[in-house]
Amino acid sequence: MNKKIKIGIVGYGNLGKGAELAVKENADMELVAIFTRRKPDLLNTNTNVVHISNILDFKDKIDVMILCGGSLMDLDEQGPMIAENFNTVDSFDNHGRIPEYFEKINNIASKNKNLSLISVGWDPGLFSLNRLLGQCVLPNGKDYTFWGEGLSQGHSDAIRRVNGVKYGVQYTVPVKEALEKVRNCEILDTPICSRHKRICYVVCEDNEDKDRIEKEIKTMPNYFAEYDTTVFFISEEEFNKNHNEMPHGGFVIRAGNTGLEHKQKMEFNLTLDSNPEFTSSVLVAYARAVYKMTLEGKIGAITIFDIPLGYLSHKSMEELRKELL
Amino acid sequence: MNKKIKIGIVGYGNLGKGAELAVKENADMELVAIFTRRKPDLLNTNTNVVHISNILDFKDKIDVMILCGGSLMDLDEQGPMIAENFNTVDSFDNHGRIPEYFEKINNIASKNKNLSLISVGWDPGLFSLNRLLGQCVLPNGKDYTFWGEGLSQGHSDAIRRVNGVKYGVQYTVPVKEALEKVRNCEILDTPICSRHKRICYVVCEDNEDKDRIEKEIKTMPNYFAEYDTTVFFISEEEFNKNHNEMPHGGFVIRAGNTGLEHKQKMEFNLTLDSNPEFTSSVLVAYARAVYKMTLEGKIGAITIFDIPLGYLSHKSMEELRKELL
């Protein structure tokens, strides 16, 4: 057997915990350590936990670092610092700032002869791949992304910022009729906000004015005002019982024509009980690809578009041709 | 503007006709010629048609040849011959013989410094990619491929070999209950034959015994005997009106678990009005990837697993990162 791929995880929020579980599902990998800004003793895990200030002690002991910082701020700061010293995989998901982040990481990683895969997960990530595939195979067509049903972290945070809200979650739900139209290759020119509904579950503090809270949520610009938004007030018990998971999913659909009149539809969809566990499973599979590409001398920053999919597998290309083509 | 990618098409059956249409949808490509074993005058097209015996006249005039031979026998014979002189893309789909075909093409293409992508289309092809992706992202899971609803060429041919059958087509239809179970992440251990139904439409010669024909079809081993098969006898008029298209499609579903108990489902599906036009659209997109890889000096045989998906696009990696991630 070959040597195992040595993995490090930076950050131990939902994503880091998911990555820890995912590494265990891959027999060709070994989790060397989790790096945290907290006191290492505080983490409830059997994995070796190291304070992030000691990360350089592991410079030659880890093949790929999986960056699981809990926020974009973490990645903005940690990404370049760690890419200077390690091969990395991250899920940087501020779509608008990807080119700038790519440049920064590319400079640092290239200079230090490391390889960094940025912005992988499911969106950006597998959804991006499918948008690309659709556009290339059916150039005469249109693609649509639907998100949900699923819990949106950003929108849940927005609800919780409203005065008088104790707990709150928001589920994004694709509008069924729009989804069916797209699946039937009808052209849909409506904006994203009319293709999704927003359902909110809110626990409010005692004696708060629910009408005011509902109005504040529904009129919040960018987050809710443009959407068909429903707010349900529930008890703390119900909240704890039914809203402590992080399901998500979505659809990428490319509908196009070939020849004179033939409709063709490509669809990729995900139904996820746990968004962070799935995202981290993608990160772990792509960590293997990064490792394989470093063996070939590849350096700098790359994205999911640069990676031959065979590199994701622990199997040889020969086995893949035989078993999976 | 860069120079256009010069494409040749070998064979002018359904696939070749589809490729001809697909090249027109791609502004960065130019169709130089169609090569045929028939008398060139007989082909009803505006494209330049050349007898296959003169193919070597085009040795430096074509960047990628798309092999659209009508049968496996064509590819077995043409594949190596053309790979000796050109970069090629083909849709070799005898799954069991892919390793052997790969070796043969790899030797010839490598020796002559050409690049050949074999076995691309949707299955093998995009479906293979999705099986791979599912296995790598969700190692603790199971994947299922369903084909249809769609016309199966091989099974239609089998029907037409039955004595007394004038015309016949066969549609493969996924069993809805099985598909729904898989989509709900239930484990299905039933074989492929119990997950698909076969619906046959037959026009028989005058005065033939329909009971005998139906029985011969339904008991044909490998093709129908193991399946829930229905045979409808229809008139020639109805046949010509309703059964002259080649729709197809299917589903690749990976259902797995992450962590302790979270169910995760990945699904890729296709709904195609025209199977040959879609398959040839895939071939054309991958011809671009082959061209880009030859510019980097890549030679030998490759499969869909070896290709970074960004190479499918006429856009630069920079544009892709900005627009599609």
Side-chain angles (χ1 to χ4, degrees):
Chain A
M1 169 132 186
N2 295 327
K3 87 169 204 28
K4 292 197 178 191
I5 304 171
K6 293 187 221 111
I7 301 288
I9 293 173
V10 182
Y12 199 62
N14 290 316
L15 209 53
K17 285 175 192 165
E20 181 185 29
L21 291 166
V23 170
K24 288 186 186 148
E25 298 289 345
N26 292 280
D28 62 334
M29 295 185 176
E30 175 190 351
L31 180 54
V32 174
I34 293 166
F35 300 89
T36 180
R37 282 180 302 206
R38 288 181 269 172
K39 272 184 71 148
D41 291 351
L42 295 179
L43 270 56
N44 182 21
T45 171
N46 294 324
T47 307
N48 179 28
V49 182
V50 177
H51 192 266
I52 194 147
S53 59
N54 298 319
I55 197 169
L56 293 183
D57 297 348
F58 288 78
K59 209 168 145 96
D60 297 312
K61 293 175 189 152
I62 283 175
D63 296 313
V64 186
M65 281 288 188
I66 301 179
L67 308 191
C68 301
S71 76
L72 282 175
M73 252 164 49
D74 287 350
L75 280 184
D76 251 345
E77 197 189 290
Q78 285 179 355
M81 188 273 275
I82 300 176
E84 190 178 334
N85 296 291
F86 297 92
N87 304 306
T88 64
V89 180
D90 74 46
S91 58
F92 186 87
D93 67 353
N94 184 331
H95 294 259
R97 288 192 43 231
I98 286 175
E100 166 201 340
Y101 183 73
F102 180 90
E103 279 311 316
K104 195 154 80 172
I105 297 286
N106 189 41
N107 285 335
I108 294 173
S110 302
K111 206 173 290 174
N112 293 280
K113 299 205 168 30
N114 291 321
L115 182 62
S116 285
L117 167 61
I118 69 155
S119 300
V120 78
W122 60 273
D123 196 359
L126 304 186
F127 273 22
S128 322
L129 267 193
N130 278 278
R131 285 189 283 263
L132 173 71
L133 201 55
Q135 293 188 11
C136 297
V137 171
L138 297 174
N140 179 18
K142 201 164 148 63
D143 56 81
Y144 304 86
T145 302
F146 289 84
W147 294 272
E149 298 197 17
L151 188 145
S152 159
Q153 207 62 60
H155 288 79
S156 299
D157 289 346
I159 291 176
R160 289 189 288 258
R161 285 194 296 264
V162 171
N163 245 326
V165 169
K166 192 169 180 185
Y167 304 110
V169 287
Q170 190 264 191
Y171 299 96
T172 306
V173 181
V175 173
K176 215 173 242 177
E177 297 73 26
L179 185 58
E180 283 315 308
K181 274 191 184 164
V182 166
R183 281 179 152 167
N184 290 324
C185 297
E186 292 178 40
I187 298 292
L188 212 64
D189 282 322
T190 49
I192 286 172
C193 61
S194 70
R195 303 204 307 257
H196 294 87
K197 292 191 283 193
R198 303 205 173 277
I199 315 282
C200 311
Y201 292 88
V202 174
V203 180
C204 57
E205 306 281 3
D206 294 344
N207 306 318
E208 287 288 343
D209 178 353
K210 292 182 180 167
D211 287 346
R212 179 201 40 94
I213 291 176
E214 179 168 345
K215 201 179 151 200
E216 278 193 37
I217 293 173
K218 286 187 169 179
T219 56
M220 204 183 291
N222 301 319
Y223 284 90
F224 296 102
E226 302 79 6
Y227 290 81
D228 172 357
T229 301
T230 311
V231 178
F232 295 106
F233 290 95
I234 60 174
S235 70
E236 194 164 334
E237 291 69 42
E238 191 186 330
F239 188 91
N240 289 331
K241 191 174 152 213
N242 297 331
H243 301 285
N244 59 358
E245 294 280 352
M246 284 179 279
H248 219 309
F251 303 78
V252 176
I253 298 172
R254 179 79 178 179
N257 280 282
T258 58
L260 291 181
E261 56 189 335
H262 290 116
K263 288 183 188 170
Q264 317 272 22
K265 191 208 68 169
M266 304 166 66
E267 172 175 339
F268 179 74
N269 69 59
L270 295 172
T271 310
L272 311 174
D273 270 7
S274 166
N275 181 1
E277 284 184 11
F278 185 79
T279 302
S280 54
S281 297
V282 177
L283 288 169
V284 168
Y286 274 93
R288 179 184 292 117
V290 165
Y291 174 69
K292 288 193 179 186
M293 291 174 90
T294 61
L295 296 184
E296 298 181 353
K298 181 94 185 155
I299 58 169
I302 53 173
T303 72
I304 199 167
F305 300 136
D306 297 290
I307 298 180
L309 288 202
Y311 284 49
L312 296 183
S313 176
H314 65 90
K315 295 181 179 173
S316 69
M317 288 291 182
E318 196 172 353
E319 287 171 293
L320 295 179
R321 287 193 295 270
K322 196 171 167 194
E323 296 169 18
L324 280 176
L325 259 185
Chain B
M1 168 131 189
N2 293 326
K3 87 169 204 32
K4 292 197 177 192
I5 304 171
K6 293 186 222 114
I7 301 288
I9 293 173
V10 182
Y12 200 62
N14 290 315
L15 209 54
K17 286 175 191 165
E20 182 185 28
L21 292 166
V23 170
K24 288 185 188 151
E25 299 288 345
N26 291 281
D28 63 334
M29 295 185 175
E30 176 191 351
L31 180 54
V32 175
I34 293 166
F35 299 89
T36 179
R37 282 179 302 206
R38 287 182 270 172
K39 273 185 72 148
D41 292 349
L42 294 179
L43 270 56
N44 181 22
T45 172
N46 293 324
T47 308
N48 180 28
V49 182
V50 177
H51 192 267
I52 193 147
S53 59
N54 297 320
I55 197 168
L56 293 184
D57 297 348
F58 288 79
K59 210 169 144 96
D60 297 312
K61 293 173 189 153
I62 283 174
D63 295 314
V64 186
M65 282 286 190
I66 302 178
L67 308 190
C68 300
S71 75
L72 281 176
M73 251 165 49
D74 287 350
L75 280 183
D76 252 345
E77 198 188 287
Q78 286 178 354
M81 188 272 277
I82 301 176
E84 191 178 333
N85 296 291
F86 297 92
N87 303 306
T88 63
V89 180
D90 74 46
S91 58
F92 187 87
D93 67 353
N94 183 331
H95 295 258
R97 289 191 41 229
I98 285 174
E100 165 201 340
Y101 183 74
F102 180 90
E103 279 311 316
K104 196 154 77 172
I105 298 286
N106 189 40
N107 285 335
I108 294 174
S110 302
K111 207 173 289 173
N112 294 280
K113 299 204 168 29
N114 292 321
L115 182 62
S116 286
L117 167 61
I118 69 156
S119 300
V120 79
W122 60 273
D123 196 0
L126 305 185
F127 273 23
S128 321
L129 268 193
N130 279 278
R131 285 188 284 263
L132 174 71
L133 202 54
Q135 293 188 12
C136 297
V137 172
L138 297 174
N140 179 17
K142 201 164 149 60
D143 56 82
Y144 304 86
T145 303
F146 289 83
W147 294 272
E149 306 199 7
L151 188 146
S152 159
Q153 207 61 62
H155 288 79
S156 299
D157 289 346
I159 290 176
R160 289 189 287 259
R161 285 194 296 266
V162 171
N163 245 325
V165 169
K166 192 168 180 185
Y167 304 110
V169 286
Q170 192 263 190
Y171 299 96
T172 305
V173 181
V175 172
K176 212 173 244 178
E177 298 73 27
L179 185 57
E180 283 315 307
K181 274 190 184 164
V182 165
R183 281 180 153 167
N184 291 323
C185 297
E186 292 179 42
I187 298 294
L188 212 65
D189 282 322
T190 49
I192 286 174
C193 61
S194 69
R195 303 205 306 258
H196 294 86
K197 293 191 282 194
R198 303 205 173 276
I199 316 282
C200 312
Y201 293 88
V202 174
V203 180
C204 58
E205 306 279 4
D206 295 343
N207 306 317
E208 287 288 342
D209 178 354
K210 292 181 179 166
D211 287 347
R212 177 198 47 89
I213 291 176
E214 179 168 347
K215 202 180 151 198
E216 277 193 38
I217 293 174
K218 287 187 168 178
T219 56
M220 205 183 292
N222 301 319
Y223 284 90
F224 296 102
E226 302 79 5
Y227 289 81
D228 173 356
T229 302
T230 311
V231 178
F232 294 106
F233 290 95
I234 60 174
S235 70
E236 194 163 334
E237 290 69 42
E238 192 187 332
F239 188 89
N240 289 332
K241 191 175 152 213
N242 297 331
H243 301 286
N244 60 358
E245 294 280 353
M246 285 180 278
H248 218 310
F251 304 78
V252 176
I253 298 172
R254 179 79 177 180
N257 280 282
T258 57
L260 292 181
E261 55 189 335
H262 290 117
K263 288 182 186 171
Q264 316 274 22
K265 190 207 70 169
M266 305 166 66
E267 172 175 338
F268 179 75
N269 68 60
L270 294 172
T271 310
L272 310 174
D273 269 8
S274 166
N275 181 1
E277 284 183 11
F278 185 79
T279 301
S280 53
S281 297
V282 177
L283 288 169
V284 167
Y286 274 93
R288 179 183 293 116
V290 165
Y291 174 70
K292 288 193 179 185
M293 291 174 90
T294 61
L295 295 183
E296 297 180 353
K298 182 94 185 155
I299 58 169
I302 54 173
T303 73
I304 198 166
F305 300 137
D306 297 291
I307 299 180
L309 288 202
Y311 284 50
L312 296 183
S313 176
H314 65 90
K315 296 182 179 172
S316 68
M317 288 293 182
E318 198 172 351
E319 286 172 293
L320 294 179
R321 286 193 296 271
K322 196 171 167 195
E323 297 168 16
L324 281 175
L325 259 184

